[in-house]
Amino acid sequence: MVELFSVPVAGGIPAKLNGDLVEGGDVSALFSVTPDGERVIYRADQETDGLGELYSVPVAGGPAIKLNQPLAGGGGILRYETTPDSRRVIYTADQDTAGVFEVYS
């Protein structure tokens, strides 16, 4: 099981950032910090094993928020990027039609 943690660069106690994972679930290596440094955006099969969805969490820890709507297909989130003002995440997913990947914000 791969999980996501944050720790101050000067050292300290790590904070787990992802929510509880289903059996077999992992956090993907696809994660980033928003340009303002306030939040971490990550992809994980947190609720359904094998279905990578998109989450946002404060960089110091706290409740994670799922960003995508329910996904129609089994592909999940393929790619994402945060806008320079840190207000939106743009992502590709088969959210509306299984196997048809479109761009969402």
Side-chain angles (χ1 to χ4, degrees):
M1 179 180 303
V2 176
E3 297 190 280
L4 186 63
F5 293 85
S6 163
V7 64
V9 293
I13 299 172
K16 183 172 117 175
L17 298 182
N18 59 276
D20 293 335
L21 300 171
V22 298
E23 186 174 333
D26 289 295
V27 175
S28 163
L30 181 64
F31 70 89
S32 64
V33 177
T34 57
D36 65 7
E38 296 291 320
R39 300 190 73 80
V40 175
I41 309 299
Y42 68 93
R43 186 179 70 184
D45 53 349
Q46 188 166 299
E47 298 174 19
T48 304
D49 187 29
L51 182 61
E53 297 189 276
L54 203 55
Y55 298 86
S56 172
V57 64
V59 74
I65 300 166
K66 183 162 62 170
L67 298 178
N68 58 274
Q69 297 295 311
L71 301 171
I77 306 296
L78 290 184
R79 183 177 185 279
Y80 74 88
E81 192 166 324
T82 305
T83 58
D85 65 3
S86 301
R87 294 181 57 139
R88 298 190 73 77
V89 174
I90 313 301
Y91 64 94
T92 57
D94 58 347
Q95 184 167 291
D96 295 326
T97 305
V100 176
F101 289 85
E102 298 177 290
V103 179
Y104 300 89
S105 170

